[in-house]
Amino acid sequence: MEELRVGVLGFGGMGHYHSTNVKVPGVHFVAACDLDAEQLADAEKMGLKPYLNDEDAFFADSGINTVLLTVPNHLHKQYAIKAAKAGKNIICEKPAALCIEDFDEMTRIAKECRVLFEVHQNRRWDKDFRIIKKVYDENLVGNIFNIESTLHAQNCKLHGWHEFKRFGGGMIWDWSVHLIDQALFLIQDKIDTVYADLKRVFCTEVDDYYKIIIKFRGGQSITISHSTYGLKPAPRWLVMGDRGTVVVETFAGDGHLYKTTEFVPKLPPRIELNPAGPTRSFIPLAPGVLVTEDLPAVETSWLDYYRNWVDVLNGKGEFKIKNEEVRRVLAVIEAIFESGKTGLAIPFKYDN
Ligand SMILES: NC(=O)c1ccc[n+]([C@@H]2O[C@H](COP(=O)([O-])OP(=O)(O)OC[C@H]3O[C@@H](n4cnc5c(N)ncnc54)[C@H](O)[C@@H]3O)[C@@H](O)[C@H]2O)c1
């Protein structure tokens, strides 16, 4: 069996994450390169061969057959190309690139150099997302008319280089890459329009709040919103269909599926006065009409990403994350920035 011998370029947060947590047969973390001696000291303690500020020696190391790019976003392109030219396979952290042209160059050179290249869109395997995918694919709440994918963090600050445009900072280049990837994997339809409201609440250079609405040609739509300072967390997912509602509260996949015993619960005969004012619509359902069910069970693990790598390396199957899918997410992001500037919903010509 051919094995993955991974050299990690950039031993910061994600460099640490991959090499500490990925325990998969056939995957070995063998070396690390960074500019920061403290980060590399950790790598060395973990048994990885350290390359301090010596990328040429790192790329020339014949013990490495795959380079993991966990450097800041603006460096992905140059190092993916360097890795390909050194004959190394590439696992690239998201966002793969900061524009489609750069991504095309990376994939073209990887192909020319006959190396494997896949982007780490690990959140395709998130439990909360897999539950929603199952609800959607298996029609568990009937015809869906509203999907909300929401994240409100509470720490307000972006971390280090994420605050600055020149490094590919901002929340669009950070979390939205995952959330859009999930949305397009969930709703497999051509996109009609993309609308975005982008704000700089605490950051001066980059967006740290966004609301995105993607409308699909078949009539479906999804609203994705994310702030860095939302002190009362909203449910991670809200999905509403004509036969039920699903709430997934957090990444842990906790929540419920709500249904009613009658397909269309009967309205009370008279308007009532309650805190909503005089109303029929907002009278609570009669006792026993609302039924709360468990969410569907799912089995999922981020490690499946690496298991898939070992399979592909050994000629079994294809990558789960397709480069064409990554490219389409980048096209959506380009439309998001255009919408953010113009305030308009942007027709998504990419899918023509
Ligand atoms: N997939 C995910 O769930 C996920 C989560 C967080 C971050 N990321 C991505 O991972 C990448 C890294 O993010 P992070 O949070 O680990 O950043 P980080 O700042 O914690 O780590 C980056 C590391 O790269 C090093 N570095 C910078 N320039 C270098 C160079 N020229 N050569 C070698 N090393 C260099 C830095 O010293 C630092 O140790 C980003 O692209 C980010 O978007 C992905």
Side-chain angles (χ1 to χ4, degrees), residues 2-3 8 17 21 56 60 67 83 112 119 122 129-130 149 174 211 243 265 269 303 308 311 317 321 323 346-348:
E2 204 173 331
E3 305 205 313
V8 185
Y17 160 77
N21 294 284
D56 287 338
V67 168
E112 281 168 10
V119 181
N122 48 319
F129 172 64
R130 286 291 167 152
S149 168
D174 194 18
K211 177 177 284 184
R243 299 292 169 124
L303 298 184
N308 179 227
D311 283 347
I321 309 294
N323 285 334
I346 306 298
F348 195 65

PDB file of all heavy atoms in Angstrom, residues 2-3 8 17 21 56 60 67 83 112 119 122 129-130 149 174 211 243 265 269 303 308 311 317 321 323 346-348:
ATOM      1  N   GLU A   2       0.531   2.182  -0.878  1.00  0.00           N
ATOM      2  CA  GLU A   2       1.279   3.438  -0.854  1.00  0.00           C
ATOM      3  C   GLU A   2       0.770   4.305   0.305  1.00  0.00           C
ATOM      4  O   GLU A   2      -0.435   4.340   0.574  1.00  0.00           O
ATOM      5  CB  GLU A   2       1.104   4.184  -2.178  1.00  0.00           C
ATOM      6  CG  GLU A   2       2.280   5.107  -2.397  1.00  0.00           C
ATOM      7  CD  GLU A   2       2.281   5.758  -3.772  1.00  0.00           C
ATOM      8  OE1 GLU A   2       1.751   5.155  -4.718  1.00  0.00           O
ATOM      9  OE2 GLU A   2       2.809   6.868  -3.844  1.00  0.00           O
ATOM     10  N   GLU A   3       1.700   4.958   0.985  1.00  0.00           N
ATOM     11  CA  GLU A   3       1.310   5.730   2.165  1.00  0.00           C
ATOM     12  C   GLU A   3       1.553   7.222   1.944  1.00  0.00           C
ATOM     13  O   GLU A   3       2.375   7.610   1.107  1.00  0.00           O
ATOM     14  CB  GLU A   3       2.120   5.240   3.369  1.00  0.00           C
ATOM     15  CG  GLU A   3       1.968   3.733   3.558  1.00  0.00           C
ATOM     16  CD  GLU A   3       2.205   3.284   4.979  1.00  0.00           C
ATOM     17  OE1 GLU A   3       3.209   3.741   5.551  1.00  0.00           O
ATOM     18  OE2 GLU A   3       1.380   2.516   5.508  1.00  0.00           O
ATOM     19  N   VAL A   8       4.371  19.349   6.498  1.00  0.00           N
ATOM     20  CA  VAL A   8       3.427  20.433   6.814  1.00  0.00           C
ATOM     21  C   VAL A   8       4.115  21.776   6.586  1.00  0.00           C
ATOM     22  O   VAL A   8       5.125  22.075   7.235  1.00  0.00           O
ATOM     23  CB  VAL A   8       2.974  20.339   8.295  1.00  0.00           C
ATOM     24  CG1 VAL A   8       1.908  21.386   8.589  1.00  0.00           C
ATOM     25  CG2 VAL A   8       2.489  18.932   8.632  1.00  0.00           C
ATOM     26  N   TYR A  17      -3.197  21.172  14.280  1.00  0.00           N
ATOM     27  CA  TYR A  17      -4.413  20.344  14.276  1.00  0.00           C
ATOM     28  C   TYR A  17      -4.221  19.074  13.449  1.00  0.00           C
ATOM     29  O   TYR A  17      -4.474  17.954  13.931  1.00  0.00           O
ATOM     30  CB  TYR A  17      -5.636  21.127  13.738  1.00  0.00           C
ATOM     31  CG  TYR A  17      -6.689  20.141  13.297  1.00  0.00           C
ATOM     32  CD1 TYR A  17      -7.492  19.485  14.232  1.00  0.00           C
ATOM     33  CD2 TYR A  17      -6.796  19.746  11.948  1.00  0.00           C
ATOM     34  CE1 TYR A  17      -8.378  18.491  13.847  1.00  0.00           C
ATOM     35  CE2 TYR A  17      -7.682  18.754  11.564  1.00  0.00           C
ATOM     36  CZ  TYR A  17      -8.463  18.132  12.520  1.00  0.00           C
ATOM     37  OH  TYR A  17      -9.321  17.129  12.136  1.00  0.00           O
ATOM     38  N   ASN A  21      -4.179  15.399  15.249  1.00  0.00           N
ATOM     39  CA  ASN A  21      -5.469  14.693  15.281  1.00  0.00           C
ATOM     40  C   ASN A  21      -5.681  13.655  14.194  1.00  0.00           C
ATOM     41  O   ASN A  21      -6.578  12.823  14.319  1.00  0.00           O
ATOM     42  CB  ASN A  21      -6.609  15.709  15.217  1.00  0.00           C
ATOM     43  CG  ASN A  21      -6.643  16.565  16.465  1.00  0.00           C
ATOM     44  OD1 ASN A  21      -7.083  16.107  17.513  1.00  0.00           O
ATOM     45  ND2 ASN A  21      -6.118  17.767  16.359  1.00  0.00           N
ATOM     46  N   ASP A  56      13.393  25.553   0.719  1.00  0.00           N
ATOM     47  CA  ASP A  56      14.001  24.810  -0.394  1.00  0.00           C
ATOM     48  C   ASP A  56      14.388  23.405   0.053  1.00  0.00           C
ATOM     49  O   ASP A  56      14.143  22.424  -0.655  1.00  0.00           O
ATOM     50  CB  ASP A  56      15.221  25.565  -0.939  1.00  0.00           C
ATOM     51  CG  ASP A  56      14.769  26.802  -1.721  1.00  0.00           C
ATOM     52  OD1 ASP A  56      13.589  26.807  -2.167  1.00  0.00           O
ATOM     53  OD2 ASP A  56      15.564  27.743  -1.865  1.00  0.00           O
ATOM     54  N   ALA A  60      12.731  19.785  -1.089  1.00  0.00           N
ATOM     55  CA  ALA A  60      13.642  18.804  -1.699  1.00  0.00           C
ATOM     56  C   ALA A  60      13.678  17.495  -0.906  1.00  0.00           C
ATOM     57  O   ALA A  60      14.278  16.508  -1.353  1.00  0.00           O
ATOM     58  CB  ALA A  60      15.054  19.400  -1.767  1.00  0.00           C
ATOM     59  N   VAL A  67       2.593  17.532   0.377  1.00  0.00           N
ATOM     60  CA  VAL A  67       2.752  18.751   1.176  1.00  0.00           C
ATOM     61  C   VAL A  67       1.366  19.233   1.617  1.00  0.00           C
ATOM     62  O   VAL A  67       0.439  19.311   0.806  1.00  0.00           O
ATOM     63  CB  VAL A  67       3.476  19.850   0.366  1.00  0.00           C
ATOM     64  CG1 VAL A  67       3.380  21.195   1.074  1.00  0.00           C
ATOM     65  CG2 VAL A  67       4.936  19.475   0.161  1.00  0.00           C
ATOM     66  N   ALA A  83       5.186  23.149  -4.685  1.00  0.00           N
ATOM     67  CA  ALA A  83       5.066  21.739  -4.292  1.00  0.00           C
ATOM     68  C   ALA A  83       4.891  20.868  -5.536  1.00  0.00           C
ATOM     69  O   ALA A  83       5.538  19.819  -5.678  1.00  0.00           O
ATOM     70  CB  ALA A  83       3.881  21.557  -3.340  1.00  0.00           C
ATOM     71  N   GLU A 112      -0.120  19.135 -14.822  1.00  0.00           N
ATOM     72  CA  GLU A 112       1.087  19.004 -15.674  1.00  0.00           C
ATOM     73  C   GLU A 112       2.184  18.234 -14.944  1.00  0.00           C
ATOM     74  O   GLU A 112       2.926  17.461 -15.539  1.00  0.00           O
ATOM     75  CB  GLU A 112       1.620  20.395 -16.045  1.00  0.00           C
ATOM     76  CG  GLU A 112       0.848  21.057 -17.159  1.00  0.00           C
ATOM     77  CD  GLU A 112       1.191  22.540 -17.307  1.00  0.00           C
ATOM     78  OE1 GLU A 112       2.173  23.028 -16.678  1.00  0.00           O
ATOM     79  OE2 GLU A 112       0.455  23.205 -18.038  1.00  0.00           O
ATOM     80  N   VAL A 119      -8.368  20.175  -1.983  1.00  0.00           N
ATOM     81  CA  VAL A 119      -8.545  21.220  -0.974  1.00  0.00           C
ATOM     82  C   VAL A 119      -9.204  20.606   0.258  1.00  0.00           C
ATOM     83  O   VAL A 119     -10.049  19.714   0.148  1.00  0.00           O
ATOM     84  CB  VAL A 119      -9.385  22.377  -1.562  1.00  0.00           C
ATOM     85  CG1 VAL A 119      -9.555  23.486  -0.530  1.00  0.00           C
ATOM     86  CG2 VAL A 119      -8.719  22.909  -2.822  1.00  0.00           C
ATOM     87  N   ASN A 122     -13.028  20.241   4.995  1.00  0.00           N
ATOM     88  CA  ASN A 122     -13.377  19.258   6.025  1.00  0.00           C
ATOM     89  C   ASN A 122     -14.796  19.389   6.563  1.00  0.00           C
ATOM     90  O   ASN A 122     -15.374  18.437   7.066  1.00  0.00           O
ATOM     91  CB  ASN A 122     -12.380  19.359   7.189  1.00  0.00           C
ATOM     92  CG  ASN A 122     -12.154  20.796   7.641  1.00  0.00           C
ATOM     93  OD1 ASN A 122     -12.055  21.707   6.828  1.00  0.00           O
ATOM     94  ND2 ASN A 122     -12.065  21.013   8.923  1.00  0.00           N
ATOM     95  N   PHE A 129     -24.064  19.501   9.681  1.00  0.00           N
ATOM     96  CA  PHE A 129     -24.326  19.580   8.242  1.00  0.00           C
ATOM     97  C   PHE A 129     -24.850  18.246   7.702  1.00  0.00           C
ATOM     98  O   PHE A 129     -25.789  18.209   6.899  1.00  0.00           O
ATOM     99  CB  PHE A 129     -23.056  20.008   7.498  1.00  0.00           C
ATOM    100  CG  PHE A 129     -23.215  19.908   6.007  1.00  0.00           C
ATOM    101  CD1 PHE A 129     -24.141  20.713   5.350  1.00  0.00           C
ATOM    102  CD2 PHE A 129     -22.477  18.995   5.268  1.00  0.00           C
ATOM    103  CE1 PHE A 129     -24.328  20.603   3.967  1.00  0.00           C
ATOM    104  CE2 PHE A 129     -22.657  18.883   3.903  1.00  0.00           C
ATOM    105  CZ  PHE A 129     -23.591  19.687   3.251  1.00  0.00           C
ATOM    106  N   ARG A 130     -24.252  17.157   8.151  1.00  0.00           N
ATOM    107  CA  ARG A 130     -24.694  15.837   7.656  1.00  0.00           C
ATOM    108  C   ARG A 130     -26.149  15.560   8.024  1.00  0.00           C
ATOM    109  O   ARG A 130     -26.886  14.924   7.273  1.00  0.00           O
ATOM    110  CB  ARG A 130     -23.784  14.734   8.215  1.00  0.00           C
ATOM    111  CG  ARG A 130     -22.423  14.713   7.560  1.00  0.00           C
ATOM    112  CD  ARG A 130     -22.537  14.268   6.115  1.00  0.00           C
ATOM    113  NE  ARG A 130     -21.311  14.534   5.397  1.00  0.00           N
ATOM    114  CZ  ARG A 130     -20.901  13.825   4.342  1.00  0.00           C
ATOM    115  NH1 ARG A 130     -21.630  12.839   3.868  1.00  0.00           N
ATOM    116  NH2 ARG A 130     -19.785  14.138   3.739  1.00  0.00           N
ATOM    117  N   SER A 149     -28.432  28.969   7.453  1.00  0.00           N
ATOM    118  CA  SER A 149     -27.167  28.456   7.991  1.00  0.00           C
ATOM    119  C   SER A 149     -26.508  29.635   8.703  1.00  0.00           C
ATOM    120  O   SER A 149     -26.105  30.599   8.062  1.00  0.00           O
ATOM    121  CB  SER A 149     -26.314  27.949   6.820  1.00  0.00           C
ATOM    122  OG  SER A 149     -24.988  27.704   7.223  1.00  0.00           O
ATOM    123  N   ASP A 174     -12.675  33.290   5.186  1.00  0.00           N
ATOM    124  CA  ASP A 174     -12.477  32.313   6.255  1.00  0.00           C
ATOM    125  C   ASP A 174     -13.693  31.370   6.311  1.00  0.00           C
ATOM    126  O   ASP A 174     -13.777  30.389   5.576  1.00  0.00           O
ATOM    127  CB  ASP A 174     -12.238  33.050   7.580  1.00  0.00           C
ATOM    128  CG  ASP A 174     -11.685  32.129   8.659  1.00  0.00           C
ATOM    129  OD1 ASP A 174     -11.184  31.050   8.309  1.00  0.00           O
ATOM    130  OD2 ASP A 174     -11.766  32.467   9.851  1.00  0.00           O
ATOM    131  N   LYS A 211     -24.189  38.586   5.434  1.00  0.00           N
ATOM    132  CA  LYS A 211     -25.409  37.812   5.176  1.00  0.00           C
ATOM    133  C   LYS A 211     -25.431  37.565   3.682  1.00  0.00           C
ATOM    134  O   LYS A 211     -25.290  38.500   2.887  1.00  0.00           O
ATOM    135  CB  LYS A 211     -26.648  38.598   5.602  1.00  0.00           C
ATOM    136  CG  LYS A 211     -27.924  37.827   5.279  1.00  0.00           C
ATOM    137  CD  LYS A 211     -29.157  38.557   5.752  1.00  0.00           C
ATOM    138  CE  LYS A 211     -29.294  38.424   7.251  1.00  0.00           C
ATOM    139  NZ  LYS A 211     -30.527  39.027   7.748  1.00  0.00           N
ATOM    140  N   ARG A 243     -43.992  20.168   5.814  1.00  0.00           N
ATOM    141  CA  ARG A 243     -44.382  19.062   6.706  1.00  0.00           C
ATOM    142  C   ARG A 243     -43.595  19.064   8.018  1.00  0.00           C
ATOM    143  O   ARG A 243     -43.644  18.085   8.765  1.00  0.00           O
ATOM    144  CB  ARG A 243     -44.156  17.717   6.018  1.00  0.00           C
ATOM    145  CG  ARG A 243     -44.962  17.512   4.745  1.00  0.00           C
ATOM    146  CD  ARG A 243     -46.437  17.393   5.064  1.00  0.00           C
ATOM    147  NE  ARG A 243     -47.237  17.465   3.858  1.00  0.00           N
ATOM    148  CZ  ARG A 243     -48.102  16.528   3.484  1.00  0.00           C
ATOM    149  NH1 ARG A 243     -48.258  15.445   4.198  1.00  0.00           N
ATOM    150  NH2 ARG A 243     -48.801  16.696   2.393  1.00  0.00           N
ATOM    151  N   PRO A 265     -52.687  22.530  10.887  1.00  0.00           N
ATOM    152  CA  PRO A 265     -53.440  22.670  12.140  1.00  0.00           C
ATOM    153  C   PRO A 265     -54.573  23.681  11.973  1.00  0.00           C
ATOM    154  O   PRO A 265     -54.406  24.687  11.309  1.00  0.00           O
ATOM    155  CB  PRO A 265     -52.388  23.174  13.124  1.00  0.00           C
ATOM    156  CG  PRO A 265     -51.084  22.844  12.506  1.00  0.00           C
ATOM    157  CD  PRO A 265     -51.276  22.847  11.033  1.00  0.00           C
ATOM    158  N   PRO A 269     -61.409  29.465  16.011  1.00  0.00           N
ATOM    159  CA  PRO A 269     -62.508  30.164  15.328  1.00  0.00           C
ATOM    160  C   PRO A 269     -62.470  31.678  15.527  1.00  0.00           C
ATOM    161  O   PRO A 269     -62.950  32.428  14.700  1.00  0.00           O
ATOM    162  CB  PRO A 269     -63.755  29.546  15.972  1.00  0.00           C
ATOM    163  CG  PRO A 269     -63.283  28.929  17.237  1.00  0.00           C
ATOM    164  CD  PRO A 269     -61.854  28.578  17.062  1.00  0.00           C
ATOM    165  N   LEU A 303     -11.964  12.608   9.641  1.00  0.00           N
ATOM    166  CA  LEU A 303     -10.867  11.722   9.214  1.00  0.00           C
ATOM    167  C   LEU A 303     -11.184  11.040   7.882  1.00  0.00           C
ATOM    168  O   LEU A 303     -10.287  10.546   7.207  1.00  0.00           O
ATOM    169  CB  LEU A 303     -10.576  10.675  10.293  1.00  0.00           C
ATOM    170  CG  LEU A 303     -10.110  11.257  11.636  1.00  0.00           C
ATOM    171  CD1 LEU A 303      -9.757  10.133  12.598  1.00  0.00           C
ATOM    172  CD2 LEU A 303      -8.916  12.203  11.471  1.00  0.00           C
ATOM    173  N   ASN A 308     -10.019   8.963   2.459  1.00  0.00           N
ATOM    174  CA  ASN A 308     -10.235   9.108   1.019  1.00  0.00           C
ATOM    175  C   ASN A 308      -8.907   9.360   0.298  1.00  0.00           C
ATOM    176  O   ASN A 308      -8.659   8.821  -0.787  1.00  0.00           O
ATOM    177  CB  ASN A 308     -11.244  10.246   0.801  1.00  0.00           C
ATOM    178  CG  ASN A 308     -11.564  10.530  -0.658  1.00  0.00           C
ATOM    179  OD1 ASN A 308     -11.559  11.679  -1.093  1.00  0.00           O
ATOM    180  ND2 ASN A 308     -11.875   9.510  -1.442  1.00  0.00           N
ATOM    181  N   ASP A 311      -7.116   6.117  -0.134  1.00  0.00           N
ATOM    182  CA  ASP A 311      -7.766   5.351  -1.214  1.00  0.00           C
ATOM    183  C   ASP A 311      -7.327   5.864  -2.581  1.00  0.00           C
ATOM    184  O   ASP A 311      -6.943   5.084  -3.457  1.00  0.00           O
ATOM    185  CB  ASP A 311      -9.300   5.466  -1.111  1.00  0.00           C
ATOM    186  CG  ASP A 311      -9.865   4.587  -0.001  1.00  0.00           C
ATOM    187  OD1 ASP A 311      -9.111   3.726   0.511  1.00  0.00           O
ATOM    188  OD2 ASP A 311     -11.041   4.784   0.363  1.00  0.00           O
ATOM    189  N   GLY A 317     -10.896   4.826  -6.234  1.00  0.00           N
ATOM    190  CA  GLY A 317     -11.883   5.918  -6.156  1.00  0.00           C
ATOM    191  C   GLY A 317     -11.306   7.288  -6.444  1.00  0.00           C
ATOM    192  O   GLY A 317     -10.128   7.439  -6.796  1.00  0.00           O
ATOM    193  N   ILE A 321     -13.752  15.806  -2.560  1.00  0.00           N
ATOM    194  CA  ILE A 321     -13.851  17.243  -2.838  1.00  0.00           C
ATOM    195  C   ILE A 321     -13.312  17.468  -4.249  1.00  0.00           C
ATOM    196  O   ILE A 321     -12.119  17.289  -4.508  1.00  0.00           O
ATOM    197  CB  ILE A 321     -13.010  18.072  -1.836  1.00  0.00           C
ATOM    198  CG1 ILE A 321     -13.319  17.690  -0.380  1.00  0.00           C
ATOM    199  CG2 ILE A 321     -13.190  19.574  -2.078  1.00  0.00           C
ATOM    200  CD1 ILE A 321     -14.698  18.013   0.110  1.00  0.00           C
ATOM    201  N   ASN A 323     -12.234  19.515  -7.585  1.00  0.00           N
ATOM    202  CA  ASN A 323     -11.704  20.850  -7.865  1.00  0.00           C
ATOM    203  C   ASN A 323     -12.749  21.739  -8.541  1.00  0.00           C
ATOM    204  O   ASN A 323     -12.774  22.952  -8.319  1.00  0.00           O
ATOM    205  CB  ASN A 323     -10.434  20.751  -8.709  1.00  0.00           C
ATOM    206  CG  ASN A 323      -9.260  20.295  -7.853  1.00  0.00           C
ATOM    207  OD1 ASN A 323      -9.252  20.516  -6.635  1.00  0.00           O
ATOM    208  ND2 ASN A 323      -8.290  19.645  -8.457  1.00  0.00           N
ATOM    209  N   ILE A 346     -26.661  39.441  -7.701  1.00  0.00           N
ATOM    210  CA  ILE A 346     -25.861  39.271  -8.917  1.00  0.00           C
ATOM    211  C   ILE A 346     -26.292  38.007  -9.659  1.00  0.00           C
ATOM    212  O   ILE A 346     -26.242  36.903  -9.094  1.00  0.00           O
ATOM    213  CB  ILE A 346     -24.353  39.157  -8.551  1.00  0.00           C
ATOM    214  CG1 ILE A 346     -23.907  40.350  -7.692  1.00  0.00           C
ATOM    215  CG2 ILE A 346     -23.489  38.991  -9.797  1.00  0.00           C
ATOM    216  CD1 ILE A 346     -24.037  41.702  -8.352  1.00  0.00           C
ATOM    217  N   PRO A 347     -26.719  38.133 -10.918  1.00  0.00           N
ATOM    218  CA  PRO A 347     -27.033  36.932 -11.703  1.00  0.00           C
ATOM    219  C   PRO A 347     -25.773  36.064 -11.802  1.00  0.00           C
ATOM    220  O   PRO A 347     -24.682  36.575 -12.071  1.00  0.00           O
ATOM    221  CB  PRO A 347     -27.423  37.482 -13.078  1.00  0.00           C
ATOM    222  CG  PRO A 347     -27.782  38.911 -12.835  1.00  0.00           C
ATOM    223  CD  PRO A 347     -26.933  39.366 -11.676  1.00  0.00           C
ATOM    224  N   PHE A 348     -25.939  34.771 -11.566  1.00  0.00           N
ATOM    225  CA  PHE A 348     -24.756  33.894 -11.491  1.00  0.00           C
ATOM    226  C   PHE A 348     -24.498  33.269 -12.862  1.00  0.00           C
ATOM    227  O   PHE A 348     -24.904  32.143 -13.147  1.00  0.00           O
ATOM    228  CB  PHE A 348     -24.989  32.822 -10.422  1.00  0.00           C
ATOM    229  CG  PHE A 348     -23.727  32.115 -10.025  1.00  0.00           C
ATOM    230  CD1 PHE A 348     -22.692  32.786  -9.390  1.00  0.00           C
ATOM    231  CD2 PHE A 348     -23.569  30.759 -10.287  1.00  0.00           C
ATOM    232  CE1 PHE A 348     -21.518  32.135  -9.014  1.00  0.00           C
ATOM    233  CE2 PHE A 348     -22.407  30.088  -9.912  1.00  0.00           C
ATOM    234  CZ  PHE A 348     -21.386  30.779  -9.276  1.00  0.00           C
TER     235      PHE A 348
END
